[in-house]
Amino acid sequence: MCYIILLILLFLPPSVTIPAESGRNSHTACQQPKATPQIDFDQQIRDLGQLSRSKGKKQKCRFTFTNTGEAPLVVEQVETTCGCTSATYTRKPVAPGHQGHVTITFDPSSQSPGLFRKGITVYANTPGGFTRLFIKGEVIDNE
């Protein structure tokens, strides 16, 4: 007898309804997507050419980006893959349609002669979360 009652309860439709919250649209399928920032760099790879190791002159390059999204863009952090490379960047929120920058400084004096390619990771509040940039070139020994 208990099994019959249990089977009946399993097949009865639920009678509890949940009222919509006041002040909110109860049709979630019709809600507008959240505005997000988008980061668009002018270039993602910069060729620094030949750099003299013995002269020890640091080389700077600037990556410019535009916020092509619909919300303020915040660069949260910039990481480099090597101690020979450092970065500075726009720290204030970048409004939609406006530009910011990431400036990379490369020190060839600590590098062995030859070709190099260094990665830079830009973390921001964008849907993908990060963007990879690269610098490349050749360190030469001019003694």
Side-chain angles (χ1 to χ4, degrees), residues 3-140:
Y3 293 114
I4 295 173
I5 294 173
L6 183 59
L7 287 175
I8 292 172
L9 290 175
L10 285 175
F11 291 106
L12 285 177
S15 62
V16 177
T17 58
I18 302 172
E21 293 181 37
S22 61
R24 289 191 176 181
N25 185 352
S26 62
H27 302 286
T28 57
C30 297
Q31 289 180 349
Q32 295 293 327
K34 183 180 175 185
T36 59
Q38 293 289 332
I39 193 165
D40 184 26
F41 279 92
D42 59 345
Q43 290 182 321
Q44 288 187 274
I45 300 174
R46 289 280 167 87
D47 189 343
L48 302 182
Q50 290 187 331
L51 304 173
S52 174
R53 182 181 111 142
S54 59
K55 292 182 182 177
K57 184 178 178 187
K58 295 179 182 180
Q59 180 72 33
K60 288 188 177 189
C61 69
R62 185 178 204 154
F63 292 89
T64 301
F65 63 84
T66 303
N67 179 2
T68 57
E70 298 175 353
L73 171 69
V74 178
V75 175
E76 298 161 348
Q77 184 178 356
V78 177
E79 291 181 352
T80 60
T81 57
C82 178
C84 62
T85 310
S86 61
T88 59
Y89 56 93
T90 302
R91 295 189 182 266
K92 293 182 181 179
V94 178
H98 288 82
Q99 293 185 327
H101 68 274
V102 175
T103 302
I104 304 301
T105 303
F106 175 73
D107 184 2
S109 66
S110 63
Q111 297 294 297
S112 299
L115 298 174
F116 69 87
R117 180 179 166 109
K118 305 295 179 184
I120 300 101
T121 306
V122 180
Y123 295 95
N125 64 332
T126 57
F130 68 92
T131 303
R132 294 280 289 162
L133 305 174
F134 296 93
I135 58 170
K136 66 179 186 172
E138 182 178 12
V139 174
I140 56 174

